[in-house]
Amino acid sequence: MTTTPEVVAAPARRHLTTRGRRWRPDRAGAPIVLALVLIGGTLVFGDSFASAQNFGNIALDSSYLLLIATGMTLVILSGGIDLSVGSLLALAGVLTAYGARWGSIAAVVLPLLVCAAFGLANGLLIARARIAPFIVTLAALLFARGLAFAVADEGNTVYIIPADLTLTRLGQARWLGLHAPVWLALLAFAVGVVILNRTRFGQAVFAVGDNQEAAELMGLPVARVRLLVYVASAVLAGVAGVLVAAQTQSGLPTIGEGRELEAIAAVVIGGTLLSGGAGSLSGTLAGVLLLKVIQNLINQVGTLTAYYQQVVSGTFLIVVVLIQSRLARRRLR
Amino acid sequence: MLDTLRRRRDRADVLRFLQVGGVYVATALILAFNLFFTPNFATLANLRLQLVQVAPVAIVAIGMALVIATEGIDLSVGSTMAISAALLPLYIGYGVWPAIAVALVAGVAVGAVNGSLVAFAGMQPIIATLGVLVAGRGLALVFANGRLTELFDPTLDALGNESVLGVPISVLLVVTVAAIAGVVVRRAAFGRQLVAVGGNRAAANLAGLPVKRTLVAVYVVSGVLAAAAGVLSTARQGASDPSFVGLLIELSAITAVVVGGTPLSGGRVRILGTLTGALLMQLITATVIQQNLPDSTARMIQAAIIVAAVYVQRGRSRA
């Protein structure tokens, strides 16, 4: 973040930019660990890990999570949480496959509209009716999963996306060696960074998450900000669902279970505080990559079963958060 | 003037009644609906089946209610169930009771980890127990090598499928646990402490309450109850299935607690409401299935009920 010459909303902005510029060891944890893990992985496994193809796989695997985690970062920064994204991913996938009969545009627009509606409902219930985000998005988790199963005829019908559809070709295309979902996730991430750091809306997200009453007193549109972050999160989950469907050429109502928890883990590992108001999207990117690189490394160890992947991921989340809170506490002293 | 005041008071009374008794009314309504419209609903076999099916969720939900009363949350309960289920076949060679004891001790251990992370390391409960959720399921799969193991043990089978005086053993267990929890919450010092910790942690600290010890204890209780639910599910299925036992049960348990009138913001706990909340969700699923509607409809109705329940409670939980 750099200072901007604009004078409007100066108090909030100055406060935030000085905080952003200071060296924060508790926030830089994830990139440092990521670098160490990458170096360690290369030293131990050599080319089987550090190959263009393997990195391409990690990038593709990370792209869906990055899309969801980008939205989740906005939501968590505003002081909320969104549990519905895993189910929305599945719903969007099913709707993409369902809508493919009417062509590519329908296959993209239908799921994104439905997801936006879910985000709007989440946001209205949270920001206007003032119900706890955890509860609202838990209900949305159930509802979206139910709807996905209903559309897919209780899982008995698997809608297939034709291979010659424009969506399939675009979704499976590769540019400069990277899959299309990777480019899209990076684009969403970049847009997110700009919005969060360079726009009034982004600064309002920080302010609302930091202290909602204070933000209200400053005259910020608190309810609108809280509503929009849920719409953004839901739409990004929808994009991830469309991309998964385009990759697999089908829509399954069972996918995406637990993805919301993975995204929350990535955001928290990236140094964003769950209480809102402090954190960064770049940290989230590091968190996403860290989770996926570690999963990849464990798969490289032939003797370890995939179950250890979960053990390591869970322990890792706890250890990283512990270290971060220790560092943050030391800084405060 | 007097008239409008009275009307306003009446409305407040209705709202308060809905806040406290909404879950009971909803459960009564759905029972009544089934009595009239669902053939073969009011049979002893069916009622018993509903109660047996809700037993594991109910036990987990009681632990969850206690944790939520301290302004915490325990996402790891499903994984604790899986660990407990995975340990049973490994130790059943020493006899069924030692195996169950090992499973429950594992629940204590998981709870102690959660509680220490929350109380001593100061981690947010949702993060600490999320880490344990992910790691715990993996650990259970490592223990069991990812396999389903069938168990042929008469005692275990009895625990899952037999009745005493016509009441299934698992249901008796739920009633016992709920009764103990209810007494503890109302009468015991521990119950007062956990509500005080959830209501205002700083005040509880200043009042000299053992805040950290209370927090560790409440997560240990939740862990043990989850482990017991794991034993119960395994006993009922006659097989230990660590990949699927307790999957997503944390969501069902949280739903039961919240629908039952315990606010997520802590400082209040309703044991009977939690049990009724669990029963309500079970009855919704059962009704939908018995009306030949698809399962997905049940989820959507449940979602609507969660939002409605919390919406009417909203005024109270903020106060």
Side-chain angles (χ1 to χ4, degrees):
Chain A
M1 276 186 250
T2 52
T3 42
T4 45
E6 224 180 290
V7 200
V8 194
R13 193 162 293 188
R14 196 185 311 136
H15 166 65
L16 289 161
T17 44
T18 45
R19 180 166 57 186
R21 254 192 299 173
R22 204 185 301 149
W23 165 243
R24 296 290 305 267
D26 51 315
R27 299 284 149 68
I32 294 172
V33 179
L34 177 63
L36 291 178
V37 169
L38 283 174
I39 294 169
T42 312
L43 288 177
V44 176
F45 297 106
D47 283 349
S48 72
F49 171 70
S51 66
Q53 182 173 4
N54 193 40
F55 282 162
N57 286 339
I58 295 177
L60 179 62
D61 203 18
S62 310
S63 58
Y64 311 114
L65 185 58
L66 180 61
L67 281 166
I68 293 179
T70 299
M72 187 70 81
T73 308
L74 292 180
V75 171
I76 290 182
L77 279 175
S78 79
I81 198 150
D82 190 351
L83 299 179
S84 65
V85 286
S87 295
L88 285 177
L89 186 147
L91 176 61
V94 171
L95 288 176
T96 303
Y98 184 81
R101 67 191 65 184
W102 301 300
S104 286
I105 294 173
V108 174
V109 170
L110 175 69
L112 292 188
L113 276 182
V114 172
C115 284
F118 265 90
L120 197 65
N122 280 340
L124 283 174
L125 286 169
I126 290 163
R128 301 272 178 209
R130 294 181 178 260
I131 307 179
F134 192 96
I135 304 285
V136 171
T137 57
L138 172 64
L141 176 159
L142 283 171
F143 200 95
R145 183 72 63 184
L147 193 57
F149 269 96
V151 174
D153 194 17
E154 302 303 305
N156 296 324
T157 306
V158 178
Y159 302 108
I160 303 294
I161 303 174
D164 55 348
L165 208 66
T166 318
L167 173 68
T168 319
R169 278 189 275 120
L170 280 179
Q172 298 184 355
R174 296 174 75 159
W175 297 295
L176 302 175
L178 289 177
H179 293 86
V182 180
W183 289 109
L184 231 102
L186 285 175
L187 178 69
F189 172 78
V191 171
V193 169
V194 171
I195 288 178
L196 202 55
N197 297 324
R198 297 297 170 112
T199 66
R200 214 176 286 189
F201 171 76
Q203 300 301 315
V205 170
F206 278 101
V208 168
D210 199 27
N211 187 336
Q212 200 176 315
E213 277 90 44
E216 237 152 46
L217 290 174
M218 280 195 285
L220 291 175
V222 173
R224 198 196 318 157
V225 169
R226 295 184 78 201
L227 193 150
L228 283 176
V229 291
Y230 290 96
V231 175
S233 174
V235 170
L236 285 171
V239 173
V242 172
L243 290 172
V244 171
Q247 281 289 318
T248 57
Q249 291 186 33
S250 61
L252 290 174
T254 47
I255 60 167
E257 242 166 41
R259 275 299 170 111
E260 62 282 352
L261 300 181
E262 205 179 8
I264 293 169
V267 172
V268 170
I269 287 175
T272 297
L273 296 185
L274 205 52
S275 43
S280 66
L281 270 172
S282 51
T284 298
L285 175 63
V288 166
L289 289 176
L290 203 44
L291 279 178
K292 289 300 177 188
V293 167
I294 285 178
Q295 285 178 11
N296 185 276
L297 280 173
I298 290 170
N299 287 342
Q300 302 267 336
V301 188
T303 51
L304 287 180
T305 50
Y307 314 129
Y308 281 99
Q309 195 173 299
Q310 288 169 288
V311 180
V312 174
S313 295
T315 315
F316 189 74
L317 169 65
I318 290 174
V319 169
V320 169
V321 174
L322 271 182
I323 294 171
Q324 279 167 355
S325 65
R326 278 291 123 91
L327 288 172
R329 227 170 281 172
R330 182 174 303 164
R331 197 180 53 84
L332 282 175
R333 259 182 224 142
Chain B
M1 182 68 190
L2 207 66
D3 201 41
T4 47
L5 268 182
R6 188 172 298 147
R7 208 176 303 143
R8 194 171 296 163
R9 212 189 57 199
D10 285 351
R11 270 188 59 193
D13 281 350
V14 168
L15 196 66
R16 176 164 306 172
F17 174 73
L18 273 180
Q19 285 172 357
V20 179
V23 64
Y24 306 109
V25 174
T27 311
L29 283 178
I30 198 163
L31 277 173
F33 172 85
N34 278 306
L35 285 179
F36 288 113
F37 295 105
T38 308
N40 300 324
F41 180 82
T43 60
L44 210 56
N46 181 48
L47 292 176
R48 191 183 289 169
L49 177 72
Q50 301 305 330
L51 290 176
V52 168
Q53 280 185 345
V54 82
V57 179
I59 289 185
V60 170
I62 291 169
M64 186 71 79
L66 298 178
V67 173
I68 288 180
T70 67
E71 212 181 348
I73 200 147
D74 189 352
L75 299 181
S76 70
V77 284
S79 297
T80 310
M81 282 178 73
I83 290 177
S84 133
L87 288 172
L88 277 178
L90 298 182
Y91 289 91
I92 207 152
Y94 299 101
V96 66
W97 292 111
I100 292 177
V102 168
L104 295 182
V105 168
V108 172
V110 175
V113 170
N114 284 331
S116 307
L117 288 172
V118 171
F120 296 111
M123 275 176 84
Q124 275 162 320
I126 186 170
I127 298 290
T129 57
L130 169 59
V132 174
L133 175 154
V134 178
R137 177 74 58 180
L139 209 59
L141 289 166
V142 169
F143 287 153
N145 221 347
R147 276 196 293 267
L148 181 146
T149 317
E150 290 195 49
L151 292 168
F152 304 99
D153 184 275
T155 318
L156 207 59
D157 183 57
L159 197 62
N161 299 310
E162 279 180 28
S163 304
V164 175
L165 301 173
V167 185
I169 294 178
S170 53
V171 176
L172 286 175
L173 200 71
V174 174
V175 172
T176 315
V177 169
I180 294 174
V183 170
V184 164
V185 164
R186 276 165 196 268
R187 303 255 176 249
F190 175 66
R192 301 282 178 171
Q193 283 163 0
L194 69 89
V195 171
V197 168
N200 188 334
R201 169 131 5 139
N205 230 335
L206 289 173
L209 295 182
V211 171
K212 291 185 176 173
R213 205 173 51 196
T214 307
L215 282 174
V216 173
V218 83
Y219 284 93
V220 167
V221 169
S222 174
V224 172
L225 290 180
V231 172
L232 218 56
S233 295
T234 307
R236 181 158 159 69
Q237 287 174 24
S240 152
D241 186 4
S243 357
F244 286 104
V245 67
L247 206 62
L248 299 180
I249 201 169
E250 61 277 1
L251 299 182
S252 312
I254 294 169
T255 303
V257 173
V258 167
V259 169
T262 305
L264 273 185
S265 45
R268 193 189 294 261
V269 59
R270 290 179 187 283
I271 300 295
L272 191 61
T274 300
L275 280 186
T276 318
L279 189 63
L280 176 61
M281 291 297 155
Q282 168 68 29
L283 285 176
I284 290 171
T285 312
T287 309
V288 164
I289 290 171
Q290 285 168 352
Q291 294 292 328
N292 275 327
L293 292 167
D295 193 36
S296 57
T297 313
R299 296 194 211 208
M300 290 190 263
I301 294 175
Q302 285 175 343
I305 285 188
I306 294 172
V307 172
V310 178
Y311 186 78
V312 293
Q313 288 164 18
R314 176 180 68 125
R316 194 190 48 188
S317 58
R318 233 189 310 166

